[in-house]
């Protein structure tokens, strides 16, 4: 009993056996998570491992979690954002919650504007803001009256931290705090975190970046599939061990593929640049090849795909399709040229949820269905029947409204839409995001058979097993630059790909 | 490199400042052009006429600006103006009769007018209350709510007035409300109606700029979610903006009817609707279309600018068609400018700062 007492007081934040059930999945499964005062505790895991659910739980977003939470030794039920705040939990989200057309001081003291004789006490507001900015050493650098829209991302991030610190929190949760920062700025952020730590605040640091964890964290907890895999001291663990904890003991590449023909170069880009997003990318794609593209969140994976698909501008660079130099001026043009881009955002950019499956599929091939300015949907019947057969969309009713389909079948319809254009190059951005296992398997099979038929595929995916299983080669992006390439002959594994995405040169077959 | 950054930062700040006070720049430009082409425009008489015509829009613009700062639109003001007008006139006639008409003397007049105003304003407050309830509490989009209200209240106005115009049975107030306090040229604009409008504008601007309530309203309009997490009662704030809009629209219509000594149920149905006028003035005056910034004073100044353009066109012998065209062009230009800057902002979303620095260097090299 006495043991438990000391146990409790040792930790500023103590979550014991917490679980959170979503319809269909147990997102967090009996997780124990303890953070000491004055400790930076990294929380790691792949997408869908349960990090963000655990964090939202801390923020008080769910009233229905199970398990116990103690903050500074006191049992607390984090049922609303306000109770979490009062208990001393402060959050700094990746997506900053800023009112851009208001000033720094108004943002920091939103809802708590000081008044005197019923009027806003501007002097006090200014003074309090300067005091708050001192916490992050921005006093004298940022005028409290500047509108937030004129503040750089780096300073906005610091201001957000100042806002969190002014309430003297006990636990500070930071979600990817460096995602929008340059290298110098990251250093400033680290020294700030060390200072906060010295004040005895418990810091939960969520990050995808291994490098950062080794630099700033004291301990690390790895989650996988909603379960806690391990908690250890950062200095007792290697990068490789951490990656292994994250991806798990996967069976060696058991996927056997019939040897297929990989043909000549069909697409070749050189120095492809979209300022601010992707710089100087050069690579080629062969006929019938599946080329994987990996990189951490924010590395420019999607952005590269969008430039290739003609959606975002190519500021500099050459783009050759079947030896012909072209300018990817817009998506329509690229689709007619035989390059289709399947978006990662199915619901917003991919499908018209209120239209039928058929209308969605036909939307990409209207010119083919039209004669003399009139569209004849009947002309597409064979196309859609073939696609439905290949993709096993359930139900087989083509007139059904897309919003009534399950996620997996919506994704199949989206894939059918781009397959209907008979592309030569198919860019797939997260083709199996949010779909069930059955649909995933089927989509993988379809991608394989497309490649066997001679379609070239650029596969952008954060799902490592998928990437490893399907790709013939894998390109690696880091901070908007292609850093290298991995060849199948040198052996792929989840672990290697993840290390490569983290900039580990030894995992690459070819360095660029 | 550093100096260049600083320069561009300063330039941006200057651009932002110029955009913030664009309405004053616009005012000067318009006045200079008018003065160059048609100096007679600036006689005391035409200034007085100009201001007098603008007053209804200035008053209505106060509430409209508040609603827009809160992130919504109140499209029902056109009907509320008419409701305010017909109710004032109709209720005055009714009460005046009750209090004995001409035999009742001055006290009957005063009592009847006060009650008539109270009724008109009550109607406006009620409509605003219902609008606010549906938008803030029930969370229906403000476009839908207030367009519905526009038609509903129009129906009420026609029913109340039987489709006819209503005149007061006496000229008692029209002589007072537009009579200047001072008889000095150019200061003749100081009529009671003008003073009421100025007081409204000043008081509501004061609330926006000096009180916690105003600060919180800006915050709600700028980012509703973070305001909610900061503990601001966003429902109440938005609700109150609609009540204020109902109040100012009814008051504007009421005073307008008194100055005309008549109320028609379909004011603004031909020509430029008050809604379009006020909307144009509010946007041109710099209130953000998505909420979060704006100023009652700037809306009022924009009203004067637009009305000046109209009056100028009339003076130049151009017709009503030219006025509509001018209003359209000015509003179109401003809306385009606003949307374009939002679009430009969107292009930058997700940019990596490290790469932006690199891109600058790449561009320099070229």
């Amino acid at each position: 009993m006495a043991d438990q007492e000391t146990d409790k007081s040792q930790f500023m934040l103590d979550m014991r056996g917490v679980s959170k059930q979503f319809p269909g999945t147990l997102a967090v499964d009996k997780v124990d998570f303890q953070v000491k005062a004055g400790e930076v505790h990294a929380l790691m895991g792949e997408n869908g491992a349960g990090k963000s659910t655990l964090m939202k739980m801390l923020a008080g977003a769910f009233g229905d979690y199970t398990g116990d939470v103690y903050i500074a030794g006191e049992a607390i039920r984090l049922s609303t954002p306000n109770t979490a705040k009062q208990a001393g939990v402060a959050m700094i989200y990746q997506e900053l919650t800023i009112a851009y057309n208001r000033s720094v001081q108004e943002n920091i003291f939103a809802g708590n504007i000081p008044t005197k004789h019923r009027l806003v006490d501007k002097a006090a507001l200014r003074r309090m803001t300067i005091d708050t900015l001192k916490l992050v050493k921005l006093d004298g650098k940022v005028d409290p009256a500047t509108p937030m829209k004129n503040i750089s991302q780096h300073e906005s991030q610091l201001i957000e931290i100042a806002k969190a610190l002014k309430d003297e929190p006990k636990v500070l949760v930071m979600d990817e705090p460096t995602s929008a920062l340059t290298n110098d700025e990251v250093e400033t952020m680290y020294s700030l975190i060390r200072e906060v730590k010295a004040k005895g605040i418990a810091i939960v640091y969520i990050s995808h970046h291994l490098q950062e964890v080794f630099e700033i964290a004291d301990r690390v907890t790895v989650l996988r599939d909603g379960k806690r895999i391990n908690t250890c001291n950062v200095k007792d663990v290697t990068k490789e061990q951490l990656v292994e904890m994250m991806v798990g003991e996967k069976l060696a590449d058991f996927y056997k593929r019939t040897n297929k023909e990989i043909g000549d170069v069909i697409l070749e880009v050189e120095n492809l640049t979209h300022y601010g997003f992707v710089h100087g990318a050069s690579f080629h794609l062969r006929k019938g090849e599946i080329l994987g593209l990996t990189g951490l969140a924010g590395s420019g994976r999607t952005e590269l795909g969008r430039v290739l698909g003609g959606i975002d501008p190519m500021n500099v660079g050459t783009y050759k399709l079947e030896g012909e130099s072209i300018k990817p001026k817009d998506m329509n043009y690229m689709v007619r040229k035989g390059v289709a881009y399947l978006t990662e955002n199915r619901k917003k950019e991919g499908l018209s949820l209120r239209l039928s499956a058929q209308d969605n599929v036909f939307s990409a091939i209207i010119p083919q269905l039209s004669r003399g300015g009139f569209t004849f949907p009947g002309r597409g019947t064979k196309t859609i029947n073939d696609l439905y057969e290949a993709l096993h969309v359930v139900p087989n009713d083509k007139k059904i409204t897309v919003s009534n389909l399950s996620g997996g079948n919506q994704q199949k319809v989206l894939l059918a839409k781009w397959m209907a254009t008979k592309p030569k190059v198919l860019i797939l951005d997260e083709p199996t995001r949010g779909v069930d296992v059955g649909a995933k398997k089927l989509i993988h099979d379809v991608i394989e058979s497309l490649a066997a038929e001679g379609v070239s595929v650029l596969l952008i995916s954060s799902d490592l097993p998928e990437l490893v299983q399907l790709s013939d080669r894998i390109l690696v992006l880091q901070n908007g630059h292609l850093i290298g390439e991995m060849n199948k002959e040198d052996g792929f594994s989840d672990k290697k790909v993840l290390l490569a995405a983290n900039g580990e040169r030894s995992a690459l077959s070819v360095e660029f | 490199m550093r100096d260049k950054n600083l320069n561009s930062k300063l330039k941006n700040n200057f651009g932002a400042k110029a955009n913030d006070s664009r309405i004053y720049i616009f005012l000067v430009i318009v006045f200079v052009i008018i003065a160059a082409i048609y100096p007679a425009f600036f006689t005391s008489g035409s200034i007085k006429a100009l201001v007098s015509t603008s007053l209804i829009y200035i008053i209505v613009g106060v509430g409209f600006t508040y609603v827009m700062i809160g992130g919504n639109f109140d499209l029902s003001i056109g009907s509320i103006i008419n409701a305010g007008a017909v109710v004032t006139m109709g209720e005055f006639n009714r009460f005046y009769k009750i209090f004995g008409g001409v035999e009742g003397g001055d006290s009957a007049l005063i009592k009847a007018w006060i009650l008539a105003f109270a009724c008109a304003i009550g109607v406006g407050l009620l409509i605003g209350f219902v609008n606010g309830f549906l938008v803030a509490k029930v969370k229906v989009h403000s476009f839908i709510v207030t367009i519905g209200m526009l038609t509903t209240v129009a129906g009420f106005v026609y029913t109340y007035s039987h489709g006819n115009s209503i005149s007061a049975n006496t000229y008692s107030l029209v002589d007072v409300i537009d009579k200047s306090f001072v008889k000095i040229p150019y200061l003749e604009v100081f009529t009671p109606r003008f003073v009421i409008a100025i007081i409204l504008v000043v008081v509501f601007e004061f609330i926006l700029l000096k009180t916690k309530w105003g600060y919180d309203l800006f915050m709600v309009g700028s980012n509703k979610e973070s305001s909610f997490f900061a503990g601001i009662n966003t429902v109440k704030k938005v609700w109150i903006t609609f009540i204020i809009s109902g109040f100012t629209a009814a008051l504007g219509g009421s005073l307008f009817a008194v100055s005309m000594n008549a109320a028609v149920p379909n004011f603004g149905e031909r020509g430029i609707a008050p809604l379009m006028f006020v909307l144009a003035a509010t946007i041109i005056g710099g209130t953000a279309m998505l909420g979060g910034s704006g100023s009652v004073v700037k809306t009022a100044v924009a009203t004067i600018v637009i009305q000046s353009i109209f009056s100028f066109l009339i003076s130049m012998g151009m017709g009503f068609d030219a006025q509509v065209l001018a209003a359209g062009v000015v509003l179109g230009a401003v809306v385009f400018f606003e949307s374009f800057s939002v679009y430009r902002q969107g292009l930058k979303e997700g940019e990596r700062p490290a790469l932006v620095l690199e891109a600058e260097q790449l561009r320099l090299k070229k």
Side-chain angles (χ1 to χ4, degrees), chain B residues 279-299:
Chain B
L279 179 73
T282 310
I283 293 175
I284 294 168
T287 300
M289 278 190 280
L290 299 174
S293 67
S295 150
V296 172
V297 169
K298 285 178 187 166
T299 300

Side-chain angles (χ1 to χ4, degrees), chain A residues 149-213:
Chain A
K149 62 185 168 201
N150 295 347
I151 302 282
S152 75
Q153 254 178 322
H154 164 55
E155 284 165 348
S156 304
Q157 190 100 37
L158 291 175
I159 288 168
E160 198 80 348
I161 294 175
K163 190 177 161 186
L165 289 179
K166 81 171 196 311
D167 297 330
E168 298 182 346
K170 297 187 178 102
V171 180
L172 182 64
V173 184
M174 306 174 97
D175 186 10
E176 298 275 357
T178 59
S179 63
L181 304 183
T182 64
N183 293 344
D184 295 352
E185 292 163 354
V186 170
E187 282 308 318
T188 326
M189 178 69 73
Y190 285 163
S191 58
L192 177 66
I193 291 174
R194 290 191 188 102
E195 266 174 51
V196 173
K197 188 173 129 171
K199 286 181 190 160
I201 295 173
I203 300 171
V204 180
Y205 191 93
I206 298 171
S207 179
H208 280 109
H209 298 258
L210 288 169
Q211 196 59 43
E212 286 184 9
V213 170

Side-chain angles (χ1 to χ4, degrees), chain A residues 81 85 98-99 101-102 106-107 110-111 113 115 119-120 122 150 153 179-180 182 275-277 279 298 479-481, chain B residues 13 206 210-212 215-216 218-219 222-223 226 229-230 232 291-293 347 349-355 358-359 363:
Chain A
K85 213 171 165 183
I98 291 173
N101 41 16
R102 306 315 305 166
E106 286 173 65
N107 268 279
I113 303 275
T115 55
L119 297 183
V120 170
K122 277 195 180 159
N150 295 347
Q153 254 178 322
S179 63
T182 64
Y275 285 133
F277 297 90
H279 286 194
N479 297 329
H481 294 276
Chain B
N13 279 348
F206 183 83
K210 300 284 176 193
T211 67
K212 181 173 183 317
Y215 273 62
D216 288 354
F218 277 127
M219 208 53 177
S222 193
N223 191 331
S226 66
F229 281 115
I232 298 172
S293 67
L347 284 184
E349 207 171 290
E351 245 180 7
R352 312 282 300 167
L355 293 180
E358 198 182 296
R363 283 202 192 99

Side-chain angles (χ1 to χ4, degrees), chain A residues 38-39 41 78 179 211 271 285 307 348 357 392 403 467 503 511:
Chain A
E39 173 189 53
H41 195 135
L78 304 167
S179 63
Q211 196 59 43
N271 193 26
L285 175 62
V307 175
K348 267 196 178 156
H392 299 291
S403 57
L467 210 57
E511 256 187 72

Side-chain angles (χ1 to χ4, degrees), chain A residues 367-415:
Chain A
Q368 286 91 314
L369 302 179
S370 303
R371 282 291 176 277
F374 293 94
T375 303
F376 303 98
R379 296 170 65 96
T381 311
K382 187 177 172 339
T383 313
I384 195 168
N385 283 344
D386 290 350
L387 287 168
Y388 256 61
E389 201 173 315
L391 288 160
H392 299 291
V393 186
V394 183
N396 195 10
D397 179 4
K398 287 140 198 130
K399 297 275 162 70
I400 197 169
T401 309
V402 166
S403 57
N404 293 335
L405 295 174
S406 70
N409 284 299
Q410 285 183 7
Q411 189 69 25
K412 288 180 192 171
V413 171
L414 180 59
L415 188 56

